[in-house]
Amino acid sequence: MQLGMVGLGRMGGNIVRRLIRAGHAAIVYDHNPEAGKGLTGEGAIEALSLEDLVAKLQAPRAVWVMLPAGEITEATIQQLAGLLEEGDTIIDGGNSFWQDDVRRSVQLRSRGLHYVDVGTSGGVWGLERGYCLMIGGETAIVERLNPIFAALAPGHGDLPVTPGREGRDPRAEQGYIHAGPSGAGHFVKMIHNGIEYGLMQAYAEGFDILRNAAGLALPPEHRFDFDVADIAEVWRRGSVITSWLLDLTATALAEDEHLSTYSGYVEDSGEGRWTIQAAIDEAVPAEVLTAALYARFRSRQEHTFAEKMLSAMRKGFGGHVEPKRQEGERS
């Protein structure tokens, strides 16, 4: 199957590579020409502009936009809408706000275009591990694009099927779902990332307590000098709190137990805030997720070992690099 890809950054480029390895064709465009040139040697066809990309695609076209959420994604989708023809599809695989998806789908439908929102999880590891996909859009269009989603998804792997799933959609067991109409994919991804904030915060606080167990604030007989790298490693093996995030934590601590290369300044990319807003709108209590978001706000004023742990996990799964420390900021 043929796909156009706009945006060849940390995830867009690897999505293209995974599709090519599965036998699909990719027409690629990025405002940085070097990004496109790097993929042509791996089988992609480079487009020099959005107009060129649309011209190189066969109808009905499918164009995946993989750009930072916000104005650049909005502007790109609007530009594509003016270039594509009736029956073509625009896919937004970034972390857009789900209400923007609902608006865009209505707007594009009036032009005869289809819109699919894909919450994409997998970070910098997606090329090898695959991408967990949460998809929103019209059923017929999602079905038509199924070969693309199936190629990107992780597949069964070595996980056993959950008992009692007989008769349910088998795509979930492959690592992707059609969550519902437009907006549903990014809504599910939003909650996914809100939960991620909470899980990361729990690990970070736990390891901070372990690290400070040798502190002078405690009486000598109550002090423990723990090897936190070994604790992270043993928890990976048979513990009920094992996870990919714990794997990343163990890797970071094995490389530097003090996480000295991290300041502890932790960004939030938006989904945590949107998750809390959804909880408010639905009158659903979300104490843990709210506290995790506020901890990130606090990290920009006062850094602890826990925040360094959060930074290490964010770099591990998404390649997120801390911003440079601001002048006058406390460490």
Side-chain angles (χ1 to χ4, degrees), residues 113-265:
L113 300 174
H114 305 289
Y115 181 82
V116 175
D117 54 288
V118 181
T120 308
S121 180
V124 295
W125 299 87
L127 176 59
E128 300 301 330
R129 294 172 63 113
Y131 299 90
C132 176
L133 305 175
M134 296 141 270
I135 306 161
E138 304 163 66
T139 298
I141 303 306
V142 173
E143 292 290 344
R144 181 166 69 80
L145 296 171
N146 189 69
I148 294 293
F149 302 137
L152 293 175
H156 275 290
D158 56 4
L159 285 176
V161 176
T162 301
R165 280 198 53 83
E166 295 81 5
R168 292 183 175 272
D169 189 342
R171 291 176 295 186
E173 297 160 18
Q174 298 285 340
Y176 69 112
I177 59 167
H178 180 202
S182 294
H186 278 146
F187 191 100
V188 175
K189 178 58 160 51
M190 173 184 74
I191 302 305
H192 166 283
N193 282 26
I195 292 171
E196 179 184 287
Y197 279 35
L199 291 173
M200 291 172 68
Q201 188 65 30
Y203 282 126
E205 291 177 8
F207 279 101
D208 204 4
I209 295 168
L210 288 168
R211 184 173 179 270
N212 284 283
L216 297 178
L218 298 170
E221 66 272 20
H222 290 171
R223 297 174 193 167
F224 298 100
D225 187 12
F226 290 119
D227 187 322
V228 291
D230 280 357
I231 291 171
E233 186 63 28
V234 76
W235 282 351
R236 293 180 61 218
R237 304 175 186 280
S239 163
V240 297
I241 63 168
T242 188
S243 71
W244 185 25
L245 286 173
L246 183 58
D247 293 345
L248 297 172
T249 299
T251 298
L253 290 171
E255 291 173 352
D256 176 9
E257 185 174 343
H258 302 289
L259 303 180
S260 55
T261 59
Y262 298 96
S263 73
Y265 186 111

Side-chain angles (χ1 to χ4, degrees), residues 33-89:
E34 296 305 313
K37 287 182 174 61
L39 284 167
T40 55
E42 300 180 51
I45 298 173
E46 182 186 13
L48 302 179
S49 64
L50 290 180
E51 292 84 355
D52 188 32
L53 179 132
V54 170
K56 284 181 164 69
L57 288 168
Q58 302 166 1
R61 302 169 185 83
V63 181
W64 186 307
V65 178
M66 201 66 181
L67 296 169
E71 293 181 4
I72 185 171
T73 292
E74 183 70 27
T76 301
I77 289 174
Q78 295 304 326
Q79 187 177 352
L80 282 169
L83 298 171
L84 293 169
E85 299 175 346
E86 185 173 345
D88 293 344
T89 302

Side-chain angles (χ1 to χ4, degrees), residues 46 92 98 116 280 297 316:
E46 182 186 13
D92 180 7
W98 64 273
V116 175
I280 293 170
F297 295 164

